[in-house]
Amino acid sequence: MSITNIQNPHDAISFIYNRPEKSELNLPSEGISSLQNTLQLLEEGKYIPILEKIWAEQDHSILLQWLRSLPQIHAPLLAERAIAEFNETPTVETIIKVSIPLIKAAGYRTMQDCRGVYDASLMGSHEDLCDVYLQELDKLFTKSLNYPLATIIPENQAKIEKYAKERTIEILQLSLTEKLPCSSWVAQHGMNAFTGKIILFNPADSDRFKKDFVDEITKSFEVS
């Protein structure tokens, strides 16, 4: 994949498709230490300049501490933290208890942000985001432990689902008190972005729809 294939330069999810080939991108020379107005960028959902700095960062430990220090509600950064956690502690336990649960939680946060947008084409956007990070995790796992990630999944599926549900509920509960990003970030991934007719719900309705999502997911987890 190449950045030249992205039709919408504001679409963070399509930009993330470039992650496997980030070394070929024209990334900044400096990493996260040179990032300015981080909280403002997060609130506005402007993830691409943040991702560029993350991908340019050479110190894995500094990156992980920085990602942990941010509000834990931003889908792309939750997924980036999943990779950083494994880079710091490349074990099966990290995969089961931390990395896969964080990626799954990132998917649910993406779905939640989609509730602020009137665009049915966004239904699969969470899968588009998560697939890239799961593939990256698989590559790192195989490189570190010399066998594919898929070999540990069946016997640990129940544990993974347990930890994923716990992490997701924790993060969705945070979303009720933290300032969420503008849903325009995920709207840029929908078909309406290409027509110039992005429709965001008014703030009151958007907040209500996103809160309803938390209730829906919480109840579904209790039943399953």
Side-chain angles (χ1 to χ4, degrees):
M1 298 177 187
S2 168
I3 194 169
T4 57
N5 291 332
I6 296 178
Q7 295 177 314
N8 180 359
H10 305 295
D11 180 0
I13 295 178
S14 288
F15 182 74
I16 287 168
Y17 293 163
N18 291 283
R19 198 186 195 289
E21 300 173 0
K22 62 182 182 180
S23 61
E24 300 178 13
L25 301 179
N26 184 25
L27 294 174
S29 58
E30 298 179 279
I32 55 173
S33 62
S34 62
L35 188 61
Q36 298 180 352
N37 303 319
T38 305
L39 292 180
Q40 181 180 344
L41 290 171
L42 290 174
E43 289 179 5
E44 295 173 355
K46 294 180 178 178
Y47 293 123
I48 292 177
I50 299 176
L51 289 167
E52 288 178 328
K53 294 291 187 179
I54 289 174
W55 296 351
E57 181 58 56
Q58 299 298 311
D59 190 316
H60 293 313
S61 295
I62 288 177
L63 174 59
L64 177 56
Q65 293 304 316
W66 183 77
L67 287 168
R68 286 175 175 173
S69 74
L70 297 173
Q72 298 297 298
I73 55 169
H74 297 277
L77 272 60
L78 289 171
E80 287 291 337
R81 181 183 163 191
I83 302 300
E85 293 280 1
F86 184 77
N87 279 329
E88 184 73 7
T89 311
T91 65
V92 171
E93 184 177 28
T94 301
I95 290 288
I96 295 170
K97 293 185 176 181
V98 183
S99 293
I100 292 181
L102 278 170
I103 292 173
K104 287 183 175 288
Y108 281 103
R109 274 290 301 118
T110 303
M111 294 167 66
Q112 186 184 20
D113 283 345
C114 286
R115 291 294 181 95
V117 187
Y118 184 78
D119 187 347
S121 71
L122 291 172
M123 289 183 64
S125 57
H126 63 290
E127 295 176 348
D128 294 341
L129 183 145
C130 291
D131 284 351
V132 174
Y133 287 97
L134 288 171
Q135 290 170 21
E136 180 71 6
L137 197 60
D138 180 37
K139 183 176 70 174
L140 292 171
F141 183 90
T142 303
K143 182 179 179 180
S144 296
L145 301 178
N146 296 316
Y147 53 94
L149 179 58
T151 60
I152 71 160
I153 298 299
E155 64 184 284
N156 292 293
Q157 189 66 53
K159 290 181 181 179
I160 291 171
E161 291 302 320
K162 173 182 177 293
Y163 289 116
K165 287 179 180 180
E166 291 174 355
R167 180 71 74 171
T168 298
I169 292 299
E170 172 192 339
I171 288 169
L172 289 181
Q173 287 299 317
L174 276 177
S175 78
L176 298 176
T177 57
E178 298 275 1
K179 185 173 179 58
L180 295 180
C182 177
S183 287
S184 61
W185 83 269
V186 73
Q188 297 290 346
H189 193 58
M191 291 301 298
N192 287 351
F194 296 102
T195 66
K197 296 180 180 178
I198 290 177
I199 302 174
L200 300 179
F201 292 112
N202 67 63
D205 286 340
S206 179
D207 289 347
R208 176 164 55 85
F209 296 152
K210 292 175 183 179
K211 181 181 182 300
D212 289 346
F213 178 82
V214 177
D215 293 338
E216 292 168 16
I217 298 304
T218 302
K219 289 177 181 177
S220 73
F221 283 176
E222 290 171 353
V223 171
S224 60

